[in-house]
Amino acid sequence: MGICMKRGVAVLVMAAGLAVSAKISAQSSSSLYFMEISTQRQTYNPAFIAPYETSFTVPFLGGLHARVDNNFFSWNALVRRDDFDSLHMDLQKLVGKAGNHARVMAEAEAEIFRFSWRRGRDNFQIGLNVHADMQLILKKETLSFLMQGPGAHIGDNLLTGNRLDVNSYAALYFGYARQVSKHLTVGGRVKVLQGLWNLHTDKLTIAFDIQNEDMSDPDVVPYRYELGVGGRMLTNLPLDIDNRKLGSLSFPLLSMGAAIDLGVSYDFGNWNVSGAIRDLGFIVWGDDHAAQYRSYKGIDDCHFSGIHFDEFKKDDFRLGSYMVNTFTGLLDTLNFAQDTVKNSYTRALPARFTVSLSYTLRDIHVFGVAFDGMFYNRYFSPELMISYTCMPGRNFGVCVSNTFSSGNVLGLGLAFVVNAGPLQVHLGVDRLNSFNVAGMRTANVNFGLNLVLGKSRYDWFTGKSM
């Protein structure tokens, strides 16, 4: 079956890049990782225990966070100002900002409720949250093709290594932590997962054959080439491929899964070393809409030469209609057909691990370094954070940090926690320097409200107040 690359595909990639220019995030290497009085610290490592007898979140406000990240898009990489003070789209510069893989990643989570309490050296936790994540990976050659067209690539071309993943689920979790000795604390969480919606592509490949014999001839632009898309898609979205429609998102009761979090914390003198592995688990997508789709390489004449912005200049331009047309054009381009043999599948969750080392001076000043990594469909994303935390009293703490990640060596952060009676408020902003709108790729914010009861300083092993 012949297919033709729609320019809407390129616009869709641009739209994803635009979305990541504004980012709200609370990541696992957040400044709250070393904030002892914050109850959210246990979210990052189940072995961390807040120094309160009882704590619970304000429903829907206890842990709000989201994250969007990309490694190539920023406004000043896309827009160029010439000598006549006119603005031009510089797609070549934008593509040049990407690494070997152009990546757009997003995640969001809302804490519905969380209740934590302690008995002696034991700490118990129960909670419910809703989570969603997405990752788009494009090889740099694919991004260049979508942004600028085929260019001077005469003959056969194969663009491999592209993939898109979307996961969303609700998690009911039970946590337990114990101070085994004066120095060692261990903890874990068991999660029962209810899958919501999912999409996964495997080995998405674009193959095209340039038919032009002389690329320097202006009369043959746009280029003439044969195009095919191949790959596999697993999803429980109610797709109507034949009519190019998306049905209603009914609640998929039959998609269930499980996951565990494990953590350890060890104190020796004023030093602490800790580590955690989170989201080791899977979801079996087996609801009525769960199905496998395959795309087989078709060949036809196509005329695609990159992005054209003429549509945006028209008087009758409507963004909603344009996005619908982009979606239907994308289905045409991908050429997926449902495989009736398989109607359920199992997918692993994106797993994370964190390792940290900290030093506490006079029970007030904490200097820390944390390495965080995430595995997502064969892609590894590392980050390194250094921080200084000051907790001068039982009811206040502040932290400044810097996060190093791929393509971003400067990511300044600021976070604080305040206990106003039984109400605890935490607020953190990472990568303050990214709020320069022209160059923004990332900007991280986390916020939450907790109710805390009991001692705010406590030696768990001896059972005495500090």
Side-chain angles (χ1 to χ4, degrees):
M1 178 179 178
I3 55 176
C4 181
M5 175 66 73
K6 306 291 186 180
R7 64 186 175 195
V9 178
V11 175
L12 185 64
V13 176
M14 285 296 301
L18 288 169
V20 300
S21 62
K23 169 180 175 180
I24 302 175
S25 171
Q27 57 201 35
S28 60
S29 56
S30 165
S31 304
L32 295 176
Y33 195 88
F34 296 106
M35 194 78 72
E36 180 184 346
I37 63 176
S38 171
T39 64
Q40 261 62 34
R41 190 183 190 214
Q42 196 172 30
T43 302
Y44 308 126
N45 187 335
F48 290 155
I49 303 174
Y52 308 102
E53 294 177 351
T54 303
S55 68
F56 53 95
T57 63
V58 176
F60 298 97
L61 294 177
L64 294 175
H65 67 265
R67 173 175 183 168
V68 182
D69 200 1
N70 89 104
N71 64 354
F72 69 96
F73 181 83
S74 64
W75 189 250
N76 59 7
L78 176 63
V79 177
R80 173 175 53 85
R81 188 184 299 273
D82 63 18
D83 295 337
F84 301 98
D85 208 29
S86 298
L87 299 179
H88 302 273
M89 299 296 180
D90 194 340
L91 298 179
Q92 184 175 2
K93 181 180 178 182
L94 178 67
V95 172
K97 289 289 185 179
N100 293 330
H101 293 81
R103 179 182 187 241
V104 177
M105 183 268 179
E107 62 180 353
E109 190 165 283
E111 197 87 55
I112 308 302
F113 76 87
R114 178 175 54 84
F115 180 60
S116 178
W117 71 98
R118 73 170 187 234
R119 291 292 182 270
R121 286 184 280 164
D122 300 311
N123 184 85
F124 303 89
Q125 188 183 71
I126 183 172
L128 174 67
N129 62 36
V130 178
H131 175 92
D133 59 71
M134 180 277 291
Q135 178 175 256
L136 171 66
I137 296 290
L138 298 175
K139 292 292 288 292
K140 188 169 185 176
E141 295 80 3
T142 305
L143 180 66
S144 176
F145 171 71
L146 295 175
M147 294 288 126
Q148 301 173 283
H153 299 285
I154 297 177
D156 294 326
N157 295 267
L158 192 66
L159 305 176
T160 62
N162 311 293
R163 46 193 180 268
L164 171 64
D165 291 271
V166 178
N167 292 289
S168 60
Y169 56 85
L172 176 65
Y173 59 87
F174 306 89
Y176 172 72
R178 178 174 176 81
Q179 188 176 10
V180 178
S181 68
K182 183 73 174 177
H183 306 286
L184 177 65
T185 304
V186 296
R189 272 188 297 265
V190 176
K191 303 177 182 179
V192 179
L193 308 179
Q194 167 62 60
L196 298 177
W197 298 284
N198 164 270
L199 185 148
H200 164 74
T201 64
D202 183 28
K203 300 179 180 179
L204 191 61
T205 300
I206 299 175
F208 62 96
D209 181 12
I210 302 297
Q211 303 295 304
N212 304 63
E213 295 181 357
D214 185 4
M215 300 299 292
S216 63
D217 187 351
D219 295 331
V220 297
V221 177
Y223 309 123
R224 178 179 177 272
Y225 60 93
E226 295 175 340
L227 174 73
V229 176
R232 184 180 66 147
M233 177 173 67
L234 302 172
T235 184
N236 72 331
L237 294 174
L239 297 180
D240 186 345
I241 295 293
D242 294 335
N243 296 314
R244 299 179 300 173
K245 292 181 179 180
L246 177 65
S248 59
L249 297 177
S250 58
F251 193 75
L253 288 174
L254 299 180
S255 295
M256 302 290 292
I260 61 171
D261 300 342
L262 300 173
V264 61
S265 175
Y266 189 86
D267 294 295
F268 49 100
N270 292 333
W271 293 88
N272 173 271
V273 60
S274 63
I277 302 176
R278 306 201 313 277
D279 293 331
L280 290 177
F282 62 92
I283 298 178
V284 179
W285 298 93
D287 60 273
D288 293 339
H289 294 294
Q292 175 176 265
Y293 297 81
R294 289 189 179 274
S295 177
Y296 301 94
K297 297 180 179 65
I299 292 180
D300 199 356
D301 290 340
C302 292
H303 302 280
F304 173 74
S305 57
I307 295 178
H308 300 281
F309 293 91
D310 297 339
E311 293 289 333
F312 295 92
K313 300 177 183 179
K314 294 181 178 179
D315 294 336
D316 59 348
F317 174 77
R318 296 293 183 271
L319 179 61
S321 299
Y322 189 79
M323 294 305 295
V324 170
N325 293 335
T326 298
F327 176 73
T328 56
L330 181 60
L331 290 181
D332 281 345
T333 299
L334 296 178
N335 191 30
F336 279 112
Q338 184 172 350
D339 187 342
T340 58
V341 176
K342 186 173 183 178
N343 58 3
S344 66
Y345 53 92
T346 301
R347 291 295 303 159
L349 300 182
R352 312 191 77 146
F353 75 91
T354 306
V355 178
S356 69
L357 178 68
S358 64
Y359 175 77
T360 302
L361 179 65
R362 298 179 181 177
D363 294 327
I364 295 177
H365 312 283
V366 182
F367 303 89
V369 56
F371 178 80
D372 177 70
M374 181 177 70
F375 297 93
Y376 201 145
N377 193 6
R378 303 187 302 276
Y379 186 90
F380 176 63
S381 174
E383 290 184 338
L384 180 68
M385 182 194 73
I386 58 173
S387 70
Y388 162 69
T389 303
C390 181
M391 291 178 287
R394 298 181 177 183
N395 300 316
F396 178 75
V398 63
C399 176
V400 293
S401 65
N402 187 75
T403 301
F404 304 87
S405 59
S406 177
N408 296 278
V409 296
L410 186 63
L412 302 177
L414 176 66
F416 70 87
V417 175
V418 176
N419 293 335
L423 181 65
Q424 182 180 93
V425 181
H426 69 266
L427 175 65
V429 182
D430 289 322
R431 297 168 182 172
L432 290 166
N433 52 295
S434 296
F435 283 116
N436 175 359
V437 176
M440 184 186 298
R441 292 186 187 177
T442 58
N444 314 324
V445 177
N446 60 74
F447 171 77
L449 298 175
N450 307 298
L451 297 177
V452 294
L453 303 172
K455 302 178 180 65
S456 58
R457 293 291 183 187
Y458 190 80
D459 188 325
W460 289 54
F461 191 74
T462 63
K464 297 179 180 180
S465 299
M466 296 175 60

